[in-house]
Amino acid sequence: MNPGPARAVPRGSAPPSAGGTPTGRAGWHRRVAALPLGYLAGLVVLGLAHPFLPAWRWAAIHLLLLGAVSNAVLVWSAHFAAAVLRTPAPARRRADAARLGILNAGVLAVLAGGTADRPWLGVGGAALVFAAVAAHLAGLARRLRRALPARFTVTVHYYLAAAVALLAGVPVGAWMLVVDDALRPRLLLFHAHVNVLGWVTLTVLGTLLTLWPTVLRARMADGAVRAATVALPPAVAGLALLGAGVLAWWRFVAAAGLLLFAVAALLALRPALAVARRRPPDTFAGWSLAAASGWLLVALAVDAVTLLSAAGPDAAADRFDAVLLPLLVGFVAQVLVGSLSHLLPMALGGGPGPVRRRTALLQRHGAQRVVTANAALAVFVLPGPPFVRITTSLLILAALVQFLVPAARVLLSARSRGRAALAEVADPRPLREDAGARPLGGVAAGLALVLVAVVAGVAAQRVSDGAPVPAAATGVAPTGHTTTVAVVADGMRFHPDRIDVPPGGRLVIELTNRDHRRHDLVLDSGAKTARVATGGSARLDAGVIGTVVQGWCSLPGHRQAGMTLRIVPTGPVSAEPPAGTAAPHLDAMADPGPAFTARDAAAPAVPPGRLHRRELHVQEVQREVAPGVRQRLWTFDGTVPGPVLRGRVGDTFEITLVNDGTVDHGIDFHAGAVAPDQVMRPIDPGQRLTYRFTATRAGIWMYHCSTMPMLHHIGNGMYGAVIIDPPDLPRVDREYVLVQSELYLGPDGEPGDLAKMQAERPDAVVFNGYVAQYVHRPLPARTGERVRVWLLDAGPERDSSFHVVGAQFDTVYREGRWENRPADPGGAQALQLGPAAGGFVELTFPAAGHYPFVSHVMVDAERGARGLFEVR
């Protein structure tokens, strides 16, 4: 190894000791380096034990960011600030030690409070973290004020901005520990962006100005200081715009802020690229920092797409996982490991010999480790079988262990021995000067490891998907005879749907899918096939048959729609399998609490132009549908009902359906008259479909999922309204849209129960997707105002009879026809609608007060189909 790194530390930092024992500075760095390494070791343990631990994902994020990274930032930003400002570090580090003690007490309290459901313990920990970073910020500011002008002062400015960002993000994180309300998705987006892009990324950009040329043993690029100086203001401004945009959910403002931050990051990194072109990285530290910078740009691009395509903050927060993986693992963790690999050998001192030996130890297998970690992460973030994700995640953990073990050896040997002993213990073999100069073998080894992991994951997935389970043979002696039966999936049925097998015989099923949608076959013994596409086939070894075995298609709703079969031995049979989990209890009178936000019932305005283009994303989300009751809903754009579309007679709608769900879905617009064969076909997950129609008749029209069993898809949330205004529709003071539908509850957090839908046994009847929400959040109006209420009965089963208590309708428009107008002598007391029918009513309120509105099918009103107008 070239000893250049030891001499390339920014001017002003203390040189390594020439003696054989660590100096006071070296002893300090040895002690504090154990802190981030300890948190990284905890991350490895958590990664291996996470199936048995609560809130493991949250804990992993905070172990890395709050534990490992924050300790490293406090230590090394102080070190680099002293170096670039040419101010020596104090001989006694009581203030630094106190800050680190307070920080780590806070980190441990946050981790304990978040994982053990002790929110106020977590809030106390957040306060300690805030205090430690505030003290760190004050210390940097004092050092900057006392220092003489220096060339690299801008580095400290980056550190100050980063600390301010964390001070903004920590209170928001503490708030989320104790408050769970409708603002949570926005708070989460603010907390994540400000902490990772502010606290971490700004610190990294400021440090790379001097660290990157040092790692490459090269001269700094011309204009690097100026580029860093110019990049800081737009980076801070972009971060501020991004934070404000996600809090207020001005998504274009948030995206503009993110773009500004990305441009600033590119500007700051451009000189580093020039240095790398002149002298490419040839060490583990250099490769890691280069790869981390690439992952940062990938994460920023994915983040921008997520923000711009999300229908709302809930959807953006749900999809933020796609940003976190490249940002945290690819960028943050790699920057930390790469930086420590370069800085630790020099900081521990002891002279050129020990520094070279420590560097060689941390560099060993560098190319293989970098390639393994980055290729495995690339495979992990792509769509793939679960077992492939497991095997690649284990490779990423293994690459981290490959750093932690030699780093621990370096620290332990520096603590216990002098220079000669260090050389013997850290690397007893002769030092290879070219340890990092020939990386091709390491690249090949890294790629080979990832390939083996992928192959092993695919094989494990296939075994898991189709492994025979012998439980069906309980109490029967195997005969050695095998029966092979061909089963065809077609028309939402298995043919045949009964298979007779001699007791003790083994059954093999050859499944062929002739239907136009995907299917699988699952047996209650545990054996199952993968999902089979149209025209595909699968082989299922059902094992030895000694009892009645039930089989079904596991795609949502297919079993309830009749897609079942029975395997029956010709001898005695055992009892049927037990029933499933019960649905949660629903109280239609319960108050959702002060944090509840009702769906905005205001009708949208007619958009300009005659062509309306819109993307609708199928999203499977878990949402509250009544106080304390959550269901897994299938939705258009994450809401139930889906977005209200509006236009005029003659307008053309071009709707692109994007299936972001896990099962096939389609769409049917009643507002257009088109041949259903193509535009209403179901599409598989990941596919897109464009549906174009021209509105030729007025009314409020239903749209819904067109995939069988349609009852299940509509009953589980896949419906919405299209308003086509009648010609010359008069203006009114207020317009509302109410969509009536039913809830058929499945187990808590699961999709609705198709058996209840088929039996017409709703648990609730609701307006706009939530039980009695407008009782607790009344719709406003004023006396004398003309109010129009658009109604759609989405069903899928119940009629509606809309009535406002204490008021009369002077206008009724039902299913495209005027039934009453204000000049008519008669009035109406109810708007009666069947499933998929719609219309509107108009009324004025005679006096201030609270006017209930209900479906006058009174059992449905008591089930939740009610609300209030609050008239002032």
Side-chain angles (χ1 to χ4, degrees):
M1 295 292 294
N2 191 319
R7 298 194 297 267
V9 179
R11 191 170 145 191
S13 61
S17 168
T21 59
T23 64
R25 179 182 68 87
W28 164 257
H29 281 294
R30 174 178 51 75
R31 291 190 295 272
V32 297
L35 293 171
L37 295 181
Y39 285 109
L40 289 176
L43 197 59
V44 172
V45 173
L46 183 65
L48 296 174
H50 74 271
F52 313 104
L53 300 174
W56 68 269
R57 186 175 171 278
W58 181 92
I61 292 171
H62 288 80
L63 271 172
L64 175 62
L65 289 178
L66 200 57
V69 171
S70 293
N71 273 281
V73 168
L74 255 66
V75 171
W76 292 104
S77 60
H79 171 80
F80 274 87
V84 301
L85 295 177
R86 303 175 186 177
T87 57
R92 301 175 69 86
R93 297 180 181 263
R94 290 179 178 174
D96 292 341
R99 281 196 288 270
L100 286 174
I102 294 171
L103 172 69
N104 285 282
V107 170
L108 294 176
V110 169
L111 290 170
T115 56
D117 196 22
R118 297 290 186 270
W120 290 107
L121 177 61
V123 170
L128 292 176
V129 172
F130 187 95
V133 176
H136 171 70
L137 173 64
L140 289 176
R142 282 195 303 271
R143 178 168 284 177
L144 184 62
R145 286 196 303 269
R146 295 171 182 172
L148 295 174
R151 182 185 178 192
F152 300 118
T153 301
V154 66
T155 294
V156 185
H157 294 160
Y158 273 88
Y159 296 159
L160 294 173
V164 170
L166 187 68
L167 294 180
V170 165
V172 173
W175 186 5
M176 288 193 295
L177 286 172
V178 295
V179 177
D180 187 4
D181 59 15
L183 285 177
R184 184 178 180 84
R186 304 183 190 197
L187 299 177
L188 175 64
L189 292 170
F190 178 89
H191 178 69
H193 281 102
V194 169
N195 283 2
V196 180
L197 298 186
W199 176 235
V200 181
T201 308
L202 287 179
T203 299
V204 170
L205 293 177
T207 303
L208 286 180
L209 174 65
T210 52
L211 180 63
W212 180 245
T214 305
V215 169
L216 299 188
R217 304 181 302 281
R219 184 174 60 85
M220 183 179 292
D222 295 335
V225 176
R226 175 171 175 75
T229 304
V230 171
L232 181 57
V236 173
L239 193 63
L241 282 175
L242 175 58
V246 296
L247 276 180
W249 193 241
W250 301 327
R251 63 175 177 172
F252 291 107
V253 172
L258 185 63
L259 176 62
L260 186 58
F261 186 90
V263 170
L266 285 170
L267 181 60
L269 291 172
R270 186 177 177 183
L273 179 60
V275 175
R277 286 175 177 170
R278 193 167 62 244
R279 176 146 189 170
D282 60 355
T283 65
F284 173 75
W287 295 322
S288 293
L289 293 174
S293 301
W295 280 111
L296 172 63
L297 300 179
V298 169
L300 293 175
V302 174
D303 198 4
V305 172
T306 300
L307 286 174
L308 287 172
S309 62
D314 287 353
D318 288 343
R319 296 162 61 183
F320 194 64
D321 281 354
V323 181
L324 275 179
L325 276 171
L327 195 58
L328 297 187
V329 180
F331 171 60
V332 175
Q334 233 175 166
V335 160
L336 181 61
V337 169
S339 300
L340 289 177
S341 296
H342 176 78
L343 293 169
L344 274 180
M346 293 184 298
L348 294 177
V355 169
R356 286 198 303 270
R357 292 188 181 278
R358 296 184 189 113
T359 302
L361 181 61
L362 291 174
Q363 164 71 9
R364 187 169 294 156
H365 309 301
Q368 171 263 309
R369 291 151 56 196
V370 171
V371 171
T372 297
N374 287 277
L377 178 59
V379 173
F380 186 91
V381 299
L382 294 173
F387 276 92
V388 172
R389 294 169 66 88
I390 292 172
T391 54
T392 51
S393 66
L394 289 174
L395 271 188
I396 295 170
L397 286 178
L400 178 56
V401 171
Q402 282 186 289
F403 162 73
L404 289 174
V405 170
R409 290 177 63 190
V410 164
L411 291 181
L412 291 173
S413 59
R415 176 181 181 182
S416 60
R417 301 179 182 237
R419 180 172 59 186
L422 173 66
E424 178 183 350
V425 172
D427 190 2
R429 295 170 293 178
L431 177 67
R432 290 173 56 101
E433 293 292 332
D434 62 345
R438 291 181 288 184
L440 292 181
V443 172
L447 291 175
L449 285 172
V450 175
L451 180 61
V452 169
V454 170
V455 171
V458 170
Q461 190 68 51
R462 290 191 174 182
V463 170
S464 174
D465 286 344
V469 179
T474 301
V476 65
T479 64
H481 177 73
T482 298
T483 300
T484 301
V485 177
V487 174
V488 174
D490 191 16
M492 296 297 286
R493 292 292 186 272
F494 289 117
H495 308 280
D497 60 3
R498 175 183 169 124
I499 302 172
D500 293 325
V501 182
R506 179 175 293 274
L507 173 66
V508 174
I509 297 175
E510 300 281 359
L511 176 67
T512 302
N513 184 12
R514 294 181 185 168
D515 207 349
H516 63 280
R517 56 182 67 83
R518 296 183 305 161
H519 295 295
D520 63 9
L521 176 58
V522 175
L523 304 182
D524 60 10
S525 64
K528 60 182 179 180
T529 70
R531 291 180 179 175
V532 182
T534 301
S537 60
R539 181 183 177 90
L540 176 63
D541 187 342
V544 176
I545 304 301
T547 184
V548 171
V549 179
Q550 303 289 342
W552 62 88
C553 178
S554 70
L555 274 77
H558 290 201
R559 181 182 187 181
Q560 294 89 335
M563 202 163 184
T564 62
L565 61 77
R566 283 161 54 90
I567 302 169
V568 182
T570 55
V573 298
S574 66
E576 299 290 336
T581 307
H585 172 69
L586 185 150
D587 182 0
M589 303 296 291
D591 189 328
F596 172 71
T597 300
R599 178 185 169 110
D600 186 1
V606 178
R610 306 310 298 264
L611 174 61
H612 309 301
R613 290 191 174 97
R614 177 72 182 258
E615 273 197 3
L616 289 179
H617 287 256
V618 174
Q619 297 176 5
E620 299 171 8
V621 299
Q622 194 174 104
R623 291 284 185 267
E624 189 176 73
V625 296
V629 178
R630 298 181 70 83
Q631 292 282 276
R632 184 165 187 81
L633 303 170
W634 305 332
T635 72
F636 295 109
D637 274 4
T639 66
V640 176
V644 177
L645 310 181
R646 193 165 189 177
R648 293 155 293 186
V649 174
D651 287 2
T652 298
F653 291 78
E654 188 175 286
I655 309 298
T656 300
L657 180 70
V658 183
N659 189 354
D660 294 332
T662 61
V663 297
D664 53 338
H665 294 287
I667 198 164
D668 173 9
F669 284 95
H670 293 190
V674 296
D677 303 71
Q678 290 300 315
V679 294
M680 298 183 196
R681 72 183 188 276
I683 58 174
D684 288 339
Q687 293 185 340
R688 303 165 67 92
L689 177 149
T690 298
Y691 192 126
R692 187 182 178 98
F693 67 91
T694 298
T696 57
R697 299 185 181 276
I700 178 169
W701 303 87
M702 184 177 176
Y703 68 88
H704 59 86
C705 183
S706 57
T707 298
M708 295 296 290
M710 208 176 297
L711 173 62
H712 199 197
H713 288 249
I714 298 173
N716 203 49
M718 299 199 75
Y719 56 85
V722 180
I723 297 174
I724 305 299
D725 284 3
D728 303 320
L729 182 68
R731 293 179 60 86
V732 293
D733 298 296
R734 296 179 191 265
E735 273 189 296
Y736 293 112
V737 181
L738 299 176
V739 180
Q740 179 178 311
S741 62
E742 301 116 47
L743 295 175
Y744 300 87
L745 300 181
D748 195 44
E750 296 298 323
D753 189 333
L754 181 55
K756 290 182 181 179
M757 299 176 197
Q758 293 168 328
E760 300 183 36
R761 293 187 288 105
D763 294 283
V765 181
V766 299
F767 290 121
N768 289 350
Y770 193 98
V771 171
Q773 60 182 317
Y774 302 116
V775 171
H776 308 286
R777 301 294 182 271
L779 301 179
R782 291 187 176 274
T783 57
E785 287 183 335
R786 174 160 289 274
V787 178
R788 177 180 297 136
V789 184
W790 292 89
L791 272 301
L792 175 70
D793 182 3
E797 305 289 355
R798 305 288 296 172
D799 289 349
S800 178
S801 180
F802 183 74
H803 171 70
V804 178
V805 179
Q808 297 174 336
F809 306 142
D810 61 21
T811 301
V812 176
Y813 183 92
R814 183 162 67 93
E815 283 296 281
R817 185 168 65 91
W818 296 93
E819 296 186 353
N820 290 85
R821 291 185 182 257
D824 296 340
Q829 57 198 309
L831 174 61
Q832 295 179 328
L833 301 170
F840 68 79
V841 295
E842 293 178 9
L843 70 160
T844 57
F845 294 98
H850 291 82
Y851 293 75
F853 60 85
V854 298
S855 172
H856 221 284
V857 181
M858 295 311 298
V859 66
D860 291 343
E862 293 175 1
R863 286 169 169 158
R866 61 183 186 276
L868 287 174
F869 286 106
E870 185 175 58
V871 180
R872 300 185 178 183

